[in-house]
Amino acid sequence: TAGITQAPTSQILAAGRSMTLRCTQDMRHNAMYWYRQDLGLGLRLIHYSNTAGTTGKGEVPDGYSVSRANTDDFPLTLASAVPSQTSVYFCASSGDRGYGYTFGSGTRLTVV
Amino acid sequence: GQQLNQSPQSMFIQEGEDVSMNCTSSSIFNTWLWYKQDPGEGPVLLIALYKAGELTSNGRLTAQFGTTRKDSFLNISASIPSDVGIYFCAGAGQGAQKLVFGQGTRLTINP
């Protein structure tokens, strides 16, 4: 089934450690996004990529980095995790600018 | 930046009741979308609206693009247990490259 695959599904990470959340799509969508979801705050954009080779900062980019080496993959890296990065992370993609995002199933990250 | 205010934040209703929620923006949007998130899953697109005043249905769901282009409404008729979840509005303004999401409405249904 076409869509977005995120890995891992969940992770417990010690503060100060680094981690990369993986996201792969098979729909050949140009744009990809990383959101974090926190109770009462909805979905907040961390980073985005309009096309392979380009990335941009979203609403809450600090502490995160991304790369877009090809169309299909958009990994999110936490260089040195802090407890405030405990959240559920969603990757999404879209074929049209601003419309009809497809979301992955999320990665639940707990930083202790 | 653009912001969306979604209300209510949560709803507790009886099965069979109708549900209404809305979203307002501080600026004009050209596109409004409504998503539903089931527990443990990512949001899934329910309805997309592209024109001011547009009224679109998807089964028991009806959404409207407000005539001021600064708001949108979602109604669910005759709620059933599988309607439980979090509903998000999202919008994009003219020339915007990314969607802006509301804070979500958590719907709980008592059987």
Side-chain angles (χ1 to χ4, degrees):
Chain A
T1 302
I4 293 185
T5 302
Q6 287 186 239
T9 303
S10 64
Q11 181 75 47
I12 298 174
L13 184 68
R17 299 294 295 270
S18 67
M19 179 177 180
T20 295
L21 281 62
R22 301 185 298 279
C23 175
T24 300
Q25 55 111 351
D26 61 4
M27 298 171 285
R28 308 303 294 172
H29 284 171
N30 283 326
M32 297 187 74
Y33 314 86
W34 273 106
Y35 287 86
R36 59 178 289 173
Q37 183 178 21
D38 302 290
L39 190 64
L41 297 176
L43 294 162
R44 293 184 293 168
L45 183 65
I46 304 171
H47 285 286
Y48 66 95
S49 169
N50 288 329
T51 189
T54 69
T55 63
K57 293 182 179 180
E59 180 184 357
V60 288
D62 294 343
Y64 307 95
S65 63
V66 292
S67 61
R68 187 87 184 276
N70 56 63
T71 297
D72 297 343
D73 301 300
F74 191 42
L76 177 73
T77 297
L78 288 70
S80 179
V82 296
S84 62
Q85 291 178 310
T86 293
S87 186
V88 181
Y89 291 85
F90 287 99
C91 180
S93 71
S94 69
D96 299 308
R97 269 178 25 160
Y99 307 161
Y101 291 8
T102 298
F103 284 85
S105 296
T107 294
R108 182 175 296 275
L109 178 66
T110 303
V111 182
V112 298
Chain B
Q2 295 177 320
Q3 291 185 328
L4 290 182
N5 290 312
Q6 187 171 349
S7 65
Q9 289 189 356
S10 61
M11 302 181 72
F12 298 86
I13 63 169
Q14 297 294 123
E15 183 177 352
E17 288 185 14
D18 296 342
V19 173
S20 292
M21 60 190 77
N22 70 82
C23 224
T24 59
S25 167
S26 58
S27 56
I28 289 174
F29 278 1
N30 290 339
T31 301
W32 284 98
L33 303 100
W34 285 91
Y35 286 82
K36 184 197 176 193
Q37 182 182 24
D38 290 326
E41 298 293 331
V44 174
L45 182 65
L46 296 173
I47 295 177
L49 303 158
Y50 299 109
K51 185 178 178 181
E54 181 179 357
L55 186 71
T56 298
S57 294
N58 179 2
R60 293 175 296 105
L61 277 62
T62 301
Q64 184 163 22
F65 192 141
T67 54
T68 66
R69 298 167 67 190
K70 291 186 176 182
D71 55 10
S72 180
F73 307 87
L74 177 69
N75 295 316
I76 305 172
S77 62
S79 59
I80 60 177
S82 61
D83 291 334
V84 165
I86 303 176
Y87 292 80
F88 290 100
C89 63
Q94 176 117 20
Q97 295 180 320
K98 304 173 290 300
L99 288 177
V100 176
F101 283 84
Q103 304 97 320
T105 296
R106 182 180 295 273
L107 179 62
T108 302
I109 298 175
N110 299 314

